[in-house]
Amino acid sequence: MKIDDGSSTLLHAIRTDLYDWRLWAGRAVVIGFSALAGLTVVAFTWMTELAFGLFERVSHLHGWATFLWMPLCTASIVWVMRKYAVGATGSGIPQVMASMDASVARRDRHLFVSLKLSAIKMALTTWGLLGGLSLGREGPSVQIAAGVMHHARRYLPDKSQVSENGLLMAGGAAGIAAAFNTPLGGVMFAIEELSRRPDQRNYGLLVAGIVLSGLMAVSVYGNATYFGVIHVDKLSSALLLPGLLVGVACGLLGGLFARVLLLSIRGDSADPFSRGRKRSPVVFAAACGLALAVIGLVGHGSTFGTGYTHSRAILDGSPETQPFFTLLKFVATWITTWAGVPGGLFAPALAIGGSLGNDIALLTHYANAPTLIALGMAGFLAAVTQAPLTAFIIVMEMVDGHALVLSMMATAMVASGVSRLLCVPLYGALAQLQLQRLPTIPKS
């Protein structure tokens, strides 16, 4: 009797892998489009930075102009979006999640992701930062990159074994990896938010594509993170109480933030603002733009855009930071989202969380404020997204020193847990709203 030691099966698998041109063609397409997705996000990043830089220069020279320019931009963006691309609204992450839902037929995926939506999302989000609105580019980067990757399905050979959901997952995660210059954060985002049932057979290939997209950002911008490197001192037991305060405060404020956003976007309330938004969305958007200009005036311009400038200032210990930035940025980001313009939440959430951590450092007289700022960034982002591992890893790659890793992970977990007491997972709920846009099949 012949005993099979498994060598023949192994040799057969190797031959199949080496000689099946479909496998190699599929891999080449995935890798090529991954690089293209990363470069697209890099171009999008350049566009948004140029646009917001132009807004800052004009607003510094002619501050009064914001009271005309911001309402005009907000109303125009909403009008264009509602007329030509309803699927470009909001963050973009819910659209990618909706497109991967089992109830979505292949013919309907274009409602959520496509090259057309990617192009419009790039243009409108850039326009939003040209208008000084309080939004980020990371959520839009997810939808933009997913649209690019989803287009790859046209070039995959038959029986390539790469699923459309796999392409969408890789594209969405590539957007995070390239936007934050954190490939590891992109991988975790794919696992934690997008991948419910990963394609195990091609999981390694898709992860390689995500990492390659992140490397496109590194090749252009260098090995630099979003906020630079946050330096922390040696930790001690003195961090315990302030750190716990940061975790709980981020959970409460982040959960409230997510709940307010969800209620506002749903528009179920009978208040006059929600009725006005339903009746005249463009006029409502103009009113939101005017409110954002007023908030910007009160905050001396600190609430405009992503909030990056204020975050860099508090990390550098600048005494000229705005004392009510946390509240003002919270309200500005909520109003921007309520207006219905395309824009993400990641960067504003990091800015709000960092500011909250700095406030607690001042309140408790904690000596090393950057430590609590880093914890606040991770905690608030985790509370808003309820994706603690993604939030932790994104901020972790900004920190100089491994001593803070466990504290940051604990803060993200505490904040996410507290947030769940106040609100359901935000992106999942928004994805369900997106699914309501699917065409209804008439009953026979």
Side-chain angles (χ1 to χ4, degrees):
M1 183 177 66
K2 183 178 180 180
I3 299 176
D4 186 1
D5 60 358
S7 59
S8 59
T9 303
L10 177 61
L11 289 173
H12 176 73
I14 293 174
R15 287 195 204 98
T16 302
D17 193 65
L18 288 176
Y19 295 114
D20 190 342
W21 68 270
R22 296 181 185 87
L23 289 176
W24 289 100
R27 290 167 182 168
V29 168
V30 170
I31 293 300
F33 272 84
S34 296
L36 180 60
L39 291 174
T40 302
V41 174
V42 168
F44 175 55
T45 300
W46 174 81
M47 289 166 57
T48 55
E49 289 179 348
L50 185 67
F52 185 64
L54 181 59
F55 170 82
E56 284 189 308
R57 287 195 294 273
V58 174
S59 64
H60 287 159
L61 293 174
H62 308 288
W64 57 268
T66 59
F67 291 93
L68 298 174
W69 179 243
M70 294 185 74
L72 177 63
C73 284
T74 312
S76 300
I77 291 169
V78 170
W79 183 85
V80 171
M81 185 197 67
R82 291 179 65 86
K83 186 171 179 64
Y84 297 106
V86 177
T89 186
S91 161
I93 294 174
Q95 286 93 321
V96 177
M97 295 175 70
S99 70
M100 297 175 66
D101 193 272
S103 65
V104 178
R106 184 174 186 177
R107 65 179 181 276
D108 294 327
R109 284 203 171 102
H110 72 279
L111 296 172
F112 310 110
V113 290
S114 67
L115 281 183
K116 174 188 172 183
L117 280 177
S118 294
I120 294 176
K121 191 84 168 189
M122 291 175 70
L124 294 185
T125 305
T126 302
W127 192 355
L129 285 171
L130 182 63
L133 306 184
S134 179
L135 52 85
R137 62 173 182 262
E138 296 74 29
S141 295
V142 170
Q143 188 179 14
I144 290 165
V148 173
M149 284 296 292
H150 184 248
H151 193 69
R153 77 194 189 285
R154 298 169 179 250
Y155 303 97
L156 288 172
D158 294 335
K159 301 179 182 179
S160 67
Q161 300 179 352
V162 178
S163 67
E164 284 194 44
N165 272 16
L167 291 173
L168 290 167
M169 180 195 72
I176 290 292
F180 276 117
N181 203 357
T182 54
L184 194 58
V187 173
M188 185 51 65
F189 177 76
I191 295 171
E192 195 170 31
E193 283 283 9
L194 301 180
S195 178
R196 299 290 180 253
R197 288 171 297 180
D199 184 355
Q200 298 292 342
R201 188 179 185 88
N202 290 286
Y203 206 54
L205 174 62
L206 298 177
V207 169
I210 296 167
V211 173
L212 177 61
S213 298
L215 292 177
M216 292 298 101
V218 175
S219 66
V220 175
Y221 290 109
N223 192 22
T225 53
Y226 189 77
F227 287 109
V229 178
I230 303 173
H231 298 278
V232 299
D233 291 340
K234 187 176 181 180
L235 304 182
S236 67
S237 58
L239 177 64
L240 184 59
L241 179 59
L244 183 60
L245 283 175
V246 169
V248 174
C250 284
L252 291 172
L253 194 63
L256 176 64
F257 183 71
R259 188 176 183 86
V260 168
L261 288 183
L262 187 56
L263 290 174
S264 300
I265 294 171
R266 280 176 174 167
D268 298 332
S269 303
D271 62 272
F273 297 105
S274 297
R275 292 198 303 269
R277 182 175 184 260
K278 286 183 178 179
R279 185 172 56 251
S280 304
V282 176
V283 174
F284 180 82
C288 287
L290 182 59
L292 291 170
V294 173
I295 293 171
L297 175 66
V298 174
H300 299 284
S302 62
T303 60
F304 295 141
T306 62
Y308 173 84
T309 303
H310 184 273
S311 297
R312 279 300 329 162
I314 60 174
L315 284 169
D316 294 337
S318 173
E320 299 178 359
T321 56
Q322 299 302 315
F324 297 105
F325 175 84
T326 304
L327 175 62
L328 294 175
K329 190 64 176 175
F330 182 107
V331 176
T333 307
W334 163 46
I335 291 176
T336 299
T337 305
W338 199 8
V341 301
L345 299 174
F346 272 53
L350 288 172
I352 295 169
S355 178
L356 182 59
N358 187 60
D359 293 341
I360 293 176
L362 294 174
L363 180 66
T364 60
H365 304 287
Y366 188 72
N368 186 239
T371 298
L372 295 187
I373 292 171
L375 294 182
M377 286 179 176
F380 193 82
L381 183 58
V384 173
T385 63
Q386 293 188 18
L389 296 180
T390 299
F392 152 70
I393 288 177
I394 286 175
V395 181
M396 179 191 72
E397 295 189 86
M398 304 176 190
V399 176
D400 179 25
H402 297 287
L404 196 59
V405 168
L406 292 178
S407 300
M408 198 153 40
M409 185 184 295
T411 302
M413 292 296 184
V414 168
S416 180
V418 172
S419 174
R420 287 179 183 273
L421 301 176
L422 300 177
C423 185
V424 298
L426 177 63
Y427 289 132
L430 293 178
Q432 291 303 312
L433 289 180
Q434 288 290 328
L435 290 173
Q436 295 178 9
R437 297 173 44 232
L438 288 172
T440 56
I441 302 175
K443 296 181 179 180
S444 57

